[in-house]
Structure formats: structure tokens, C-alpha cells
Amino acid sequence: MELSKQHQLRQNEKPAASTSTSAVNGHLEDRTFITRSPDHSRGPQVAPGEASSHSASIMESWKEERTRSVEDNEMSLPSLAAAYTTILRGLGEDPQRQGLLKTPWRAATAMQYFTKGYQEKITDVLNDAIFDEDHDEMVIVKDIDMFSMCEHHLVPFNGKVHIGYLPNKRVLGLSKLARIVEIYSRRLQVQERLTKQIAVAITEALQPAGVGVVIEATHMCMVMRGVQKMNSKTVTSTMLGVFREDPKTREEFLTLIKS
């Protein structure tokens, strides 16, 4: 009789153990584990329209709105400087040493400047700089100086940005292309995202026939540390509209920025 009861207890325990193992192997230990019927065994079901809304949210993410104000800078400066003081101590330095007395404040102010793109948005920059113009030939501004901060190591990368677009009855003030570069580069960035943000911002502002953006940059995280390749350059490009669809248009753009 006792053996029968023990066997029954083991049978009752098996499903719970199976469920726990499945949850751990599926990396769901921090989520609610929902048991599905056999009809749903092929994987998680996606609600209608969920995929399209996810894609839309990705596109919306390129429209970065202002996330920091001048007032925020003033309020956060003391805590940012205190963080640099902690870093200095962690490096084995004495923050009270004469040469380092004001370093935390200088470094905090500099970092706020390096990331001042968070204080601006595209609509502030464009103002009234979009003009109706019956021009349908390629417009290119090349060799725009760019400085940014690698978000992985918090060290600089810098280089040149080349921008071209094919107008669709509207043109943008030339200096505004450089301002768009400045807004997105003065943030914690990766070069791939920076390239696309610039191209998408111009597309949204002008609705041109096409946009091409190429960035050539040197990354201090490859020069000063890691592989330490002094002469390496990273080249990224984003082609939208006819720049992507028409090989001749793309070739013309790439030829002109190299000339």
C-alpha cells in the first residue's frame, strides 16, 4: 500500500519538474510561464498587427526628440562631477592633487558638451530653411567634419560625412545638413546608427526622391586600445529611395564624393 502511494506521489511530481526544467531551458525564469495547448506548440503567437507596429516603432525611434534641457545640465552637473571624482579615486589618483582639483567639473562640463545633441531636435534646426525650388539634380555636401562618442567605450570617433540627395521640388539650406550631422553625432553613438539617423532625418524633412549618406571615421577604441590599428578607417553608408533602387544614381553619388 505504501509503495503504491509513493509511486502515485512520484507521478504527481513529474509534471511540475518538467515545467520547471522547460522554463529554465527556455530562459523564462523571470517571466510568467504559460502552458499552451498542443495547437500552439510551434512557438509564441504574434497578435495581428503586432509585427507592423514593432516596425513602425523602430522607424519612429529615428525621430529622436529632445531628452535633455539646459536646466537638466545645471541640475546634473554636481552629480556628474562627483562621478568623475569617484573615477579618479578608482584609478588610484588623488582628486585633491593640485592638477586634479577642478578636473571632475571640467570633465563633467566637457561630457555634457560632447553629448549636446540630446538637447536639440531636428525641427529646431530646420526652422524656415526648407525652400520650394524647381531643381531635380543631385545636391551633395561632402567632407563635413564629424566628432562623436562611442557608446561602448566612451571614447571619441571622428571623421567625414558625405551627404547627397535628389530634390523633389524642395531643397534644404546647405548649412542645415551640417547641423543635422552635429545633432546626431553629439550623442553616444555607433557609426552604423548615426549614418542611418542622418539619412532618415533628411528624408522625413524633405521627402526627396532619394538620399545617400556615407561616413568615414577613425575610432579611438581601435586606435588607443584593443587591436591598436592606427590607420584603420570604418566606412558606413545608408542609401534610401533612388540611391538604393537605381545603380546609376548610386554610382554617380559615390563617384562625386570621391572626386
Side-chain angles (χ1 to χ4, degrees):
M1 187 69 177
E2 290 181 0
L3 290 174
S4 176
K5 286 182 180 180
Q6 289 176 2
H7 178 72
Q8 185 174 357
L9 286 172
R10 289 195 194 98
Q11 291 295 326
N12 291 336
E13 287 173 358
K14 282 182 181 178
S18 174
T19 302
S20 175
T21 303
S22 175
V24 173
N25 290 342
H27 304 288
L28 299 172
E29 59 271 24
D30 295 328
R31 304 178 188 177
T32 303
F33 185 73
I34 301 173
T35 304
R36 291 185 172 87
S37 64
D39 292 339
H40 298 94
S41 60
R42 292 186 178 182
Q45 303 299 307
V46 179
E50 186 176 335
S52 60
S53 64
H54 177 65
S55 299
S57 67
I58 292 176
M59 285 304 297
E60 288 295 320
S61 70
W62 301 114
K63 298 179 181 178
E64 294 288 347
E65 293 297 324
R66 184 187 295 111
T67 59
R68 202 175 77 203
S69 66
V70 176
E71 291 76 15
D72 291 333
N73 281 351
E74 294 174 355
M75 292 177 63
S76 63
L77 188 59
S79 60
L80 195 55
Y84 276 108
T85 300
T86 302
I87 290 173
L88 289 174
R89 288 199 182 98
L91 294 174
E93 270 288 358
D94 177 14
Q96 299 304 313
R97 183 163 64 81
Q98 184 182 16
L100 296 177
L101 280 175
K102 295 184 179 180
T103 295
W105 288 91
R106 293 191 191 102
T109 304
M111 184 58 75
Q112 287 183 339
Y113 181 82
F114 296 154
T115 59
K116 67 187 180 71
Y118 291 121
Q119 298 169 218
E120 300 175 292
K121 54 185 179 179
I122 297 299
T123 52
D124 295 337
V125 168
L126 297 183
N127 294 329
D128 300 320
I130 298 176
F131 308 101
D132 295 328
E133 193 69 41
D134 189 16
H135 181 77
D136 58 0
E137 297 296 331
M138 193 177 298
V139 177
I140 294 177
V141 178
K142 65 179 187 176
D143 295 328
I144 301 170
D145 289 323
M146 178 275 299
F147 300 89
S148 192
M149 294 288 289
C150 167
E151 67 179 32
H152 300 146
H153 302 98
L154 296 185
V155 293
F157 66 93
N158 66 284
K160 303 286 187 181
V161 181
H162 315 293
I163 299 174
Y165 70 94
L166 204 60
N168 183 17
K169 306 299 183 183
R170 296 199 300 173
V171 297
L172 182 64
L174 297 179
S175 66
K176 302 304 181 183
L177 294 173
R179 290 292 302 276
I180 291 174
V181 171
E182 186 76 0
I183 284 179
Y184 287 116
S185 63
R186 293 294 186 173
R187 301 178 181 191
L188 301 183
Q189 277 287 11
V190 295
Q191 185 174 328
E192 297 87 341
R193 181 171 68 236
L194 173 60
T195 310
K196 190 167 185 179
Q197 284 180 325
I198 294 169
V200 171
I202 296 168
T203 299
E204 292 177 344
L206 287 180
Q207 298 298 313
V211 173
V213 177
V214 174
I215 297 181
E216 305 172 71
T218 300
H219 292 247
M220 291 300 105
C221 58
M222 287 185 64
V223 173
M224 298 174 64
R225 57 165 297 282
V227 293
Q228 299 183 45
K229 300 301 181 184
M230 301 295 293
N231 298 314
S232 64
K233 281 190 176 181
T234 301
V235 181
T236 52
S237 69
T238 296
M239 304 291 170
L240 302 177
V242 292
F243 282 72
R244 188 181 189 92
E245 298 159 3
D246 183 11
K248 290 184 178 180
T249 302
R250 182 167 61 251
E251 183 181 356
E252 179 186 356
F253 169 62
L254 294 174
T255 300
L256 287 172
I257 66 174
K258 292 176 183 176
S259 63

